[in-house]
Amino acid sequence: MHRLRTTIAWLRPMTASQNAQSLSLGRPVTLGAGALRTFQPTRRLNASVAAEPFLSGTSSNYVEEMYYAWLENPRSVHKSWDVFFRNANAGAPPGSAYQSPPPLGSSAVGLANAQALTAQPNVEKLVEDHLAVQSLIRAYQIRGHHVAQLDPLGIMAADLEPTPSDIITSYDKLAFYGLDESDLDKVFRLPNTTFIGGRESALSLREIIHRLEMAYCQHIGVEFMFINDLDQCQWIRQKFESPGAMQFSLEEKRTLLARMIRSTRFEEFLQRKWSSEKRFGLEGCEALIPALKTIIDKSSERGVESVILGMPHRGRLNVLANVIRKELDQIFCQFDSKLEAADEGSGDVKYHLGMHHRRINRVTDRNITLSLMANPSHLEAVDPVVQGKTKAEQFYCGDTEGNRVMSLLLHGDAAFAGQGIVYETFHLSDLPSYTTHGTIHVVVNNQIGFTTDPRMARSSPYPTDVARVVNAPIFHVNADDPEAVMHVCNVAAEWRNTFHKDVVVDLVSYRRNGHNEMDEPMFTQPLMYKQIKKQKGVLHKYAEKLIAEGAVTRQEFEEEVARYDKVCEEAYARSKDEKILHIKHWLDSPWPGFFTLDGQPKSMTCPPTGLAEEELVHIGNIASSVPEEDFTIHGGLSRILKGRAAMVSQRVCDWALGEYMAFGSLLKEGTHVRLSGQDVERGTFSHRHHVLHDQNVDKRTCIPMNHMAPDQAPYTVCNSSLSEYGVLGFELGFAMASPNALVLWEAQFGDFNNTAQCIIDQFICPGQAKWVRQNGIVLLLPHGMEGMGPEHSSARPERFLQMCNDDPDVFPKLPEEDFAVRQLVDCNWIVVNCSTPANYFHVLRRQIQQPFRKPLIIFTPKSLLRHPEAKSSFDDMLPGTHFKRVIPEAGPECASPERVKRLVLCTGKVFYELTRERKNRGLEDVVAIARIEQLSPFPFDLVKAEADRYPGADLVWCQEEHKNQGYYDYVKPRIRTTIDRARPVWYAGRDPAAAPATGNKAAHLMELQRFLDTAFNLDAFAGKH
């Protein structure tokens, strides 16, 4: 360590040759490209020997000891020494800095006056200079990253910004602080906001600048001074400023080299064997693999047992091979175009697949589970899914602080800056019901997005600036310096495990090939790729460095390379024996014990979903009470609870109480229920009230659902942030972790699913087909034409139905006794529109009772929440009852079906408008109305039975949605298939339109009356074919 010389450095005489040499070293040395830029810690002496009468021989050691004592405590030395040291530090020549003490017996007042006259101006200068130095230190801490050498190619500033004026890139910039070259060898006491001194409390200005350069302006750029927590800032300063912070043992360096060999040679092996295949290789950022392994090692050392990863396609195969430790032959056989698919579903390309693996971490010798989530090409879409699964695993193992389970997200630079879901995911990071207690984000910064230059791809200096909104520190690092990468990854893992906050590692690298191996990047980035072609690989640069240091020999390096090449060749030979491609070998979220060993449901039956009456009464009583003492609720809520109690005594339930019955019964049976979304605690329409608020005590709440039984499962109900894409992705991930939980996401209004369409289209709808991954997520989408305008009217059922995988032209050939269950097994998701609270109750319970998991889409009502006729008797919820896929006509029409002239089929709320209109017209005997409650999979068997009951009746599909929306295009061909196209299926509903609904109330009512007229005009379709 550089030793302070303080006053001695200023005053000790030098020979003429030494003086000449010091003058020649007074300027910074210009180094070659890529070399470290720093200042030389030299000193310049101008004082003559005559001016230093007391500094000859061994006296200098005595003076130095005195000076150290003065630095620690100015009062610990004699006043004359105090004056001398102050004057010398303030720039006074040594001769005038020294003042002889007064003769014995002279007036002490005279000495004090003399000191004051001499020292006061120098003290002011001293204070000014120290403040200037503190400002300089702070400038490096804030903006040093702007001049760090981050780009391995050396052709672009990673921050796209000009060099800051307050960073000392040349000595003339000292003037910015009121300093000049003559101050470089002055010694300054260090503030407590820096750790560059180590054990030393003062350094020369030259050494201060040198150490700041080494900490903040080399291959690591640290952004952290925007963090508003002093302890966190101090922690980061210590990690990067302390002398010797980035020192590694011989064993660590050899391990790092071995990991670089695996990362690099894996990509080279794939390139040799499959040069014309897309694989989205990692060339140019090979340091990613040791980076991830370092994070996992350090986290495992701190007690983490499970790491859940999400990443885009670049480098995915390398991560699977060298981080998750997927068998190499299983990866290599994915390149075989002749391999047959064995599992259900359509599968996915190799660079989208996930993996789940439990193994021993070789560094810590502890078990660790690694799960890489499967994901689509929609970059960043997997981010909230990973967070949700991480939260679920933490929840199920009681990890309330994130000490055992953590998430690790990889990003591309262009996507991290450009995709809004990144921001949505960050904003979940500190919310009580969504936090995963810190995520480590690793950005593979290729400095290019497909073909787009960073200057056209973002407005912010860095691609990582979005992370600043949650006070996440950002560590930029030159990915061609593996040791610097290892250091920042160690710090990032320690940060997450210390503060449980997000942190970002920005690996500034390049992409050796185009966007994929078939792409030609020279079309759009000619200069960049000319430089890349000249760029020596990072493995060879690091190997040469270690060989020069003597850490490894060239023979050891070459043997390690040959050893890994042999491993790859042997795996390649084994991969030739694979004949069948098993997608289930790539499952990222296994559910042990839920399926049979070959992944099939354990049965093909779904037990009845009804409950004993005493259970219904017990849950109803909880729903209508306040279980905590001295808890004051709102007067309006008291009326609602009394209304619930009255319903329980009358053995009926409305929509909110039916939901309460379903949730409460599942909780009592040990099934966790989690309801999430915007305003779900109260309910958008003020009907739910699952969280009660004390009117007199701030933040005091009560959740009656958690008072069902002593041994019940916990109930989680949480208002989300105003996000759909992020929150739905989060809940999807939560539902992925275990089949034994009912996880629901409720949109504030049904059309809010628009902004979550990516999660719906890419994960929920095709998830099982692509990745053999079942999921029981429930979407509650309020839907209905209520005359309130085009917004918030339609949940867009036509979109969900269009994505259903049942064939409209084929009547399923399934055994009659388990027709319904087998249909559910074969479908990709279930779409229902319930018209009664009892059916809503049953479909929620069926979601858990059935021996498999499918996403459930429920179009929930708005006006029916308080509709006097939309109530169900307890009789419809007792043991032996179940979900009704179709609710047939139960009125007088059943007595004489031959008299029925029209069968109106419908779904949802419109049923109540139809029955009211039929009663007003007195057509109960001639018009039958049947409700299709389960739209998909389509209940072919029950619709056929209902149509066959009325052989002489017209078939009319009635809906309140416009003809080009809603259900008509889905149900018409299926009804036609059901009746073998023997009769036409007529339409009664609104005409085609671009908007979901009119904004005019009168127009709404007129449209309603018009389609009701069509539905009940028995001659409306006469003469039509």
Side-chain angles (χ1 to χ4, degrees):
M1 182 183 293
H2 176 68
R3 189 182 179 198
L4 270 179
R5 281 304 185 184
T6 60
T7 304
I8 306 306
W10 266 78
L11 303 178
R12 181 173 293 156
M14 297 180 70
T15 64
S17 62
Q18 286 175 321
N19 194 44
Q21 186 181 14
S22 74
L23 290 172
S24 70
L25 293 174
R27 295 286 177 182
V29 178
T30 303
L31 302 175
L36 298 183
R37 175 178 59 78
T38 186
F39 290 86
Q40 307 304 308
T42 60
R43 56 194 173 94
R44 182 172 306 190
L45 308 177
N46 299 314
S48 67
V49 176
E52 305 164 349
F54 57 89
L55 282 178
S56 58
T58 57
S59 299
S60 61
N61 292 328
Y62 168 72
V63 174
E64 188 172 7
E65 289 175 10
M66 291 287 285
Y67 184 73
Y68 276 119
W70 176 79
L71 281 175
E72 294 297 328
N73 182 7
R75 295 182 180 179
S76 66
V77 299
H78 189 270
K79 268 290 182 184
S80 60
W81 281 110
D82 182 27
V83 172
F84 171 74
F85 288 136
R86 288 189 187 198
N87 290 342
N89 262 356
S96 58
Y98 169 70
Q99 295 184 34
S100 300
L104 290 173
S106 64
S107 170
V109 175
L111 173 62
N113 290 338
Q115 290 170 348
L117 288 172
T118 306
Q120 190 61 34
N122 294 329
V123 169
E124 289 178 3
K125 169 67 171 158
L126 184 68
V127 170
E128 287 176 8
D129 286 355
H130 270 82
L131 288 175
V133 169
Q134 290 192 27
S135 297
L136 184 147
I137 292 171
R138 183 172 174 81
Y140 273 90
Q141 291 170 341
I142 295 174
R143 283 178 289 281
H145 56 87
H146 285 295
V147 294
Q149 301 163 61
L150 299 176
D151 181 13
L153 303 176
I155 59 175
M156 180 182 284
D159 60 352
L160 309 181
E161 293 279 315
T163 302
S165 59
D166 53 353
I167 300 298
I168 311 300
T169 52
S170 60
Y171 284 145
D172 57 354
K173 289 196 173 183
L174 288 169
F176 181 88
Y177 297 96
L179 301 168
D180 56 37
E181 284 190 58
S182 66
D183 296 312
L184 284 172
D185 292 302
K186 285 185 186 176
V187 174
F188 294 90
R189 190 174 305 175
L190 298 172
N192 60 7
T193 53
T194 187
F195 293 84
I196 57 173
R199 295 181 179 179
E200 298 167 290
S201 59
L203 292 173
S204 68
L205 177 59
R206 191 186 307 275
E207 184 66 13
I208 288 171
I209 294 173
H210 169 69
R211 295 194 185 188
L212 290 171
E213 286 272 337
M214 297 305 293
Y216 292 112
C217 303
Q218 302 307 318
H219 287 161
I220 298 172
V222 189
E223 281 189 275
F224 70 101
M225 289 292 283
F226 52 82
I227 296 174
N228 50 26
D229 185 295
L230 178 61
D231 291 339
Q232 293 175 8
C233 287
Q234 287 289 80
W235 188 92
I236 292 172
R237 289 183 185 118
Q238 187 169 20
K239 292 295 180 184
F240 288 98
E241 293 181 357
S242 297
M246 207 176 83
Q247 291 180 350
F248 298 100
S249 68
L250 177 63
E251 186 60 33
E252 288 172 327
K253 291 181 178 182
R254 293 172 69 95
T255 299
L256 178 55
L257 179 64
R259 289 171 172 178
M260 287 299 301
I261 289 170
R262 286 171 170 77
S263 174
T264 305
R265 298 300 288 181
F266 177 81
E267 296 294 353
E268 291 176 0
F269 184 84
L270 295 184
Q271 183 63 26
R272 286 199 307 273
K273 297 296 185 184
W274 297 281
S275 58
S276 60
E277 281 270 357
K278 282 185 187 180
R279 56 184 169 81
F280 296 95
L282 198 53
E283 291 96 332
C285 192
E286 292 90 346
L288 174 66
I289 299 304
L292 296 181
K293 292 178 79 70
T294 298
I295 290 169
I296 292 167
D297 291 345
K298 181 62 72 172
S299 300
S300 173
E301 182 184 299
R302 293 296 192 94
V304 171
E305 299 167 4
S306 178
V307 181
I308 298 159
L309 297 94
M311 69 177 295
H313 38 280
R314 181 158 317 283
R316 191 180 193 88
L317 297 180
N318 208 323
V319 170
L320 282 164
N322 290 312
V323 178
I324 310 294
R325 294 291 177 84
K326 178 74 176 170
E327 300 92 334
L328 292 178
D329 50 309
Q330 287 291 317
I331 295 174
F332 296 158
C333 75
Q334 287 277 332
F335 288 91
D336 188 347
S337 58
K338 296 174 185 161
L339 220 57
E340 298 176 18
D343 299 303
E344 58 180 28
S346 51
D348 202 349
V349 292
K350 51 190 167 289
Y351 40 80
H352 288 170
L353 297 175
M355 176 63 189
H356 179 276
H357 186 45
R358 183 168 176 79
R359 63 175 177 81
I360 293 285
N361 181 283
R362 293 175 183 174
V363 173
T364 61
D365 201 31
R366 294 177 178 175
N367 272 316
I368 192 156
T369 300
L370 302 175
S371 178
L372 175 64
M373 305 295 288
N375 67 277
S377 278
H378 291 65
L379 299 174
E380 307 296 339
V382 79
D383 296 357
V385 183
V386 168
Q387 301 296 61
K389 185 169 187 244
T390 304
K391 182 67 174 179
E393 288 201 9
Q394 291 173 349
F395 175 82
Y396 293 128
C397 72
D399 183 14
T400 57
E401 295 182 356
N403 293 320
R404 296 167 58 191
V405 183
M406 66 170 276
S407 54
L408 176 53
L409 286 175
L410 280 68
H411 313 268
D413 52 318
F416 200 62
Q419 293 286 303
I421 187 58
V422 175
Y423 184 85
E424 289 189 37
T425 305
F426 267 117
H427 268 285
L428 298 177
S429 65
D430 220 15
L431 304 183
S433 296
Y434 301 89
T435 180
T436 56
H437 307 285
T439 298
I440 299 176
H441 301 263
V442 179
V443 178
V444 177
N445 185 350
N446 296 317
Q447 306 183 84
I448 185 173
F450 202 154
T451 66
T452 304
D453 187 283
R455 289 165 290 193
M456 309 301 156
R458 65 177 188 263
S459 297
S460 60
Y462 293 105
T464 53
D465 286 333
V466 64
R468 295 167 67 110
V469 299
V470 292
N471 279 330
I474 303 164
F475 306 144
H476 307 280
V477 60
N478 186 322
D480 263 17
D481 184 345
E483 290 183 8
V485 170
M486 190 173 174
H487 178 60
V488 299
C489 288
N490 272 320
V491 174
E494 287 184 38
W495 165 275
R496 190 265 167 196
N497 286 288
T498 301
F499 297 106
H500 297 285
K501 298 277 189 180
D502 284 30
V503 57
V504 178
V505 175
D506 178 22
L507 296 177
V508 184
S509 57
Y510 57 93
R511 192 185 65 198
R512 191 168 284 279
N513 301 308
H515 177 64
N516 60 64
E517 287 67 26
M518 304 296 96
D519 194 45
E520 176 50 76
M522 291 287 284
F523 289 142
T524 51
Q525 274 77 31
L527 298 181
M528 173 186 262
Y529 274 85
K530 283 177 183 176
Q531 179 62 38
I532 287 173
K533 284 178 181 177
K534 300 176 192 171
Q535 191 81 358
K536 190 175 180 180
V538 63
L539 171 61
H540 291 285
K541 287 197 285 189
Y542 188 56
E544 293 296 337
K545 176 180 182 292
L546 293 193
I547 291 168
E549 290 177 4
V552 295
T553 65
R554 189 170 301 280
Q555 181 181 350
E556 287 173 326
F557 168 63
E558 290 171 354
E559 286 174 354
E560 186 67 24
V561 170
R563 190 179 299 118
Y564 187 71
D565 286 352
K566 183 182 177 185
V567 169
C568 291
E569 288 290 352
E570 290 171 351
Y572 176 67
R574 288 194 303 274
S575 72
K576 294 289 188 183
D577 299 331
E578 293 285 345
K579 302 291 186 238
I580 299 175
L581 178 61
H582 294 283
I583 303 170
K584 66 188 177 190
H585 290 167
W586 299 77
L587 190 60
D588 58 15
S589 303
W591 292 339
F594 186 71
F595 298 110
T596 62
L597 291 177
D598 58 351
Q600 297 301 310
K602 289 185 175 179
S603 72
M604 278 297 172
T605 59
C606 180
T609 46
L611 291 175
E613 179 137 1
E614 55 269 24
E615 284 293 300
L616 296 174
V617 171
H618 171 73
I619 297 169
N621 288 338
I622 294 289
S624 54
S625 66
V626 182
E628 294 189 13
E629 295 181 0
D630 300 324
F631 195 98
T632 306
I633 61 173
H634 190 275
L637 186 53
S638 296
R639 291 191 294 274
I640 292 172
L641 298 188
K642 287 177 184 176
R644 287 181 184 172
M647 281 191 286
V648 172
S649 65
Q650 296 162 17
R651 301 185 66 255
V652 296
C653 66
D654 62 4
W655 204 268
L657 193 52
E659 182 181 78
Y660 225 107
M661 299 293 190
F663 289 2
S665 59
L666 290 172
L667 293 169
K668 289 188 71 178
E669 292 163 6
T671 299
H672 171 56
V673 177
R674 176 182 169 94
L675 173 61
S676 165
Q678 293 154 15
D679 310 296
V680 296
E681 295 178 6
R682 192 201 75 170
T684 301
F685 310 102
S686 196
H687 69 291
R688 183 174 284 126
H689 296 288
H690 282 188
V691 179
L692 311 181
H693 293 260
D694 193 312
Q695 299 296 296
N696 299 324
V697 182
D698 185 36
K699 297 181 182 177
R700 186 187 179 201
T701 59
C702 170
I703 303 176
M705 200 83 77
N706 279 323
H707 294 263
M708 286 289 164
D711 56 349
Q712 70 168 83
Y715 175 53
T716 303
V717 56
C718 43
N719 290 339
S720 74
S721 65
L722 204 67
S723 155
E724 294 83 35
Y725 190 171
V727 174
L728 178 56
F730 187 97
E731 301 308 329
L732 176 75
F734 199 102
M736 229 173 252
S738 170
N740 302 313
L742 183 67
V743 180
L744 310 96
W745 175 74
E746 182 175 69
Q748 190 177 71
F749 290 91
D751 56 353
F752 279 27
N753 77 74
N754 288 347
T755 49
Q757 200 68 41
C758 181
I759 297 296
I760 294 165
D761 286 1
Q762 306 302 322
F763 290 88
I764 300 177
C765 171
Q768 184 176 352
K770 293 197 292 189
W771 307 315
V772 202
R773 183 172 76 191
Q774 294 195 15
N775 195 294
I777 183 83
V778 180
L779 274 62
L780 304 179
L781 307 176
H783 170 84
M785 309 294 121
E786 312 283 5
M788 302 303 291
E791 308 307 317
H792 308 338
S793 291
S794 176
R796 294 294 187 179
E798 63 276 5
R799 294 182 183 168
F800 292 94
L801 294 172
Q802 183 189 35
M803 291 189 283
C804 295
N805 66 350
D806 58 338
D807 192 330
D809 302 320
V810 177
F811 194 111
K813 295 179 180 178
L814 297 172
E816 187 176 338
E817 63 274 7
D818 55 7
F819 186 97
V821 175
R822 288 191 177 275
Q823 263 198 308
L824 294 175
V825 169
D826 294 338
C827 75
N828 63 317
W829 59 14
I830 305 164
V831 181
V832 303
N833 188 359
C834 300
S835 62
T836 69
N839 235 16
Y840 179 50
F841 160 85
H842 284 296
V843 80
L844 291 175
R845 285 185 50 77
R846 185 185 73 172
Q847 189 70 357
I848 292 298
Q849 300 281 26
Q850 59 198 12
F852 46 82
R853 292 292 174 262
K854 301 284 177 173
L856 173 61
I857 315 299
I858 307 179
F859 301 117
T860 56
K862 293 177 285 184
S863 61
L864 292 193
L865 296 174
R866 294 178 178 81
H867 197 290
E869 295 176 29
K871 292 183 179 177
S872 296
S873 167
F874 280 11
D875 293 336
D876 295 326
M877 304 161 73
L878 294 176
T881 58
H882 54 79
F883 174 71
K884 295 177 179 178
R885 293 177 292 143
V886 172
I887 301 179
E889 178 60 70
E893 301 83 351
C894 300
S896 306
E898 69 282 353
R899 294 178 55 193
V900 172
K901 296 180 180 179
R902 176 164 295 172
L903 171 60
V904 178
L905 297 165
C906 66
T907 186
K909 175 182 79 78
V910 74
F911 167 76
Y912 293 95
E913 286 155 343
L914 287 168
T915 54
R916 186 187 68 237
E917 187 70 17
R918 182 178 62 177
K919 182 177 180 181
N920 291 342
R921 293 176 182 243
L923 295 174
E924 287 96 332
D925 294 338
V926 293
V927 177
I929 304 173
R931 288 167 271 177
I932 299 180
E933 302 276 294
Q934 178 177 291
L935 293 151
S936 180
F938 192 74
F940 289 94
D941 54 336
L942 299 182
V943 172
K944 176 176 171 53
E946 195 67 3
D948 289 349
R949 282 174 67 189
Y950 309 104
D954 291 339
L955 293 180
V956 175
W957 174 260
C958 183
Q959 66 179 36
E960 58 179 352
E961 296 82 5
H962 291 282
K963 190 174 184 178
N964 60 322
Q965 300 166 27
Y967 323 92
Y968 179 60
D969 287 337
Y970 175 84
V971 300
K972 181 181 178 180
R974 288 164 175 80
I975 297 171
R976 294 271 289 157
T977 297
T978 299
I979 59 175
D980 204 19
R981 296 170 179 78
R983 286 179 269 177
V985 178
W986 304 111
Y987 172 76
R990 289 181 166 88
D991 293 334
T998 176
N1000 183 278
K1001 185 74 171 180
H1004 165 79
L1005 295 173
M1006 185 178 67
E1007 291 171 351
L1008 171 62
Q1009 193 56 51
R1010 186 184 298 148
F1011 79 71
L1012 290 175
D1013 290 342
T1014 303
F1016 291 106
N1017 180 357
L1018 301 182
D1019 297 322
F1021 307 109
K1024 294 184 179 180
H1025 299 286

